[in-house]
């Protein structure tokens, strides 16, 4: 706990969206959850919480990625049918959108999982 910081009581689920966006540690709230845009840290560098042990069992990450990719491909095909965009324009739109959606989806999924595991692991 940093000086001047008020202890935050987590009643139920904390703001998962903001936690996923900033990668907040479930124990101390530091921005230490992710080392890369979609890769969890092994442990929190601020409080030492073992994030890697909380991640155990989060095996649906591959499925989530595939579902996201599938949804995006279907959306891309639908938009293509509808607007008949030139290929370069489709690429320009869908390439960054896919990256953002997959990273965002993974971040949200992993954060949700770690927070869930953290809640479960507490006495
Ligand atoms: Zn921490």
């Amino acid at each position: 706990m940093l000086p001047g910081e008020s202890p935050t009581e987590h009643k139920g689920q904390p703001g998962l969206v903001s936690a996923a966006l900033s990668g907040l540690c479930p124990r101390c709230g530091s921005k230490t959850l992710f080392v890369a845009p979609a890769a969890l840290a092994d442990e929190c560098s601020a409080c030492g919480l073992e994030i890697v042990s909380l991640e155990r069992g989060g095996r649906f990450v591959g499925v989530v990625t595939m579902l996201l990719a599938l949804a995006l491909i279907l959306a891309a095909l639908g938009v293509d049918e509808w607007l008949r965009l030139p290929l370069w324009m489709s690429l320009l739109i869908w390439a960054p959108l896919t990256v953002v959606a997959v990273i965002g989806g993974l971040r949200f999924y992993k954060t949700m999982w770690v927070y869930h595991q953290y809640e479960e692991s507490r006495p």
Side-chain angles (χ1 to χ4, degrees):
M1 194 66 60
L2 295 166
E5 204 173 75
S6 62
T8 42
E9 277 292 322
H10 290 309
K11 291 248 163 82
Q13 290 291 327
L16 268 179
V17 174
S18 60
L21 284 176
S22 341
L24 303 179
C25 168
R27 188 200 273 164
C28 67
S30 299
K31 295 181 178 180
T32 50
L33 198 55
F34 289 92
V35 285
L40 287 169
D42 287 343
E43 59 171 44
C44 173
S45 56
C47 71
L49 176 70
E50 274 190 55
I51 295 162
V52 75
S53 69
L54 293 175
E55 195 193 5
R56 217 169 282 150
R59 290 203 187 124
F60 301 107
V61 168
V63 178
V64 171
T65 314
M66 266 165 47
L67 285 177
L68 265 171
L70 192 69
L72 280 165
I73 289 165
L74 289 176
L77 287 176
V79 169
D80 197 44
E81 274 294 299
W82 177 43
L83 291 175
R84 302 241 167 248
L85 292 172
L87 186 63
W88 66 268
M89 205 185 268
S90 301
L91 283 176
L92 211 67
I93 295 170
W94 290 105
L97 202 66
T98 307
V99 172
V100 169
V102 168
I103 289 177
L106 283 178
R107 271 185 88 105
F108 191 75
Y109 176 79
K110 288 186 179 186
T111 306
M112 218 166 62
W113 181 264
V114 165
Y115 273 66
H116 173 74
Q117 293 293 98
Y118 180 67
E119 293 289 322
E120 296 274 291
S121 72
R122 283 199 301 185

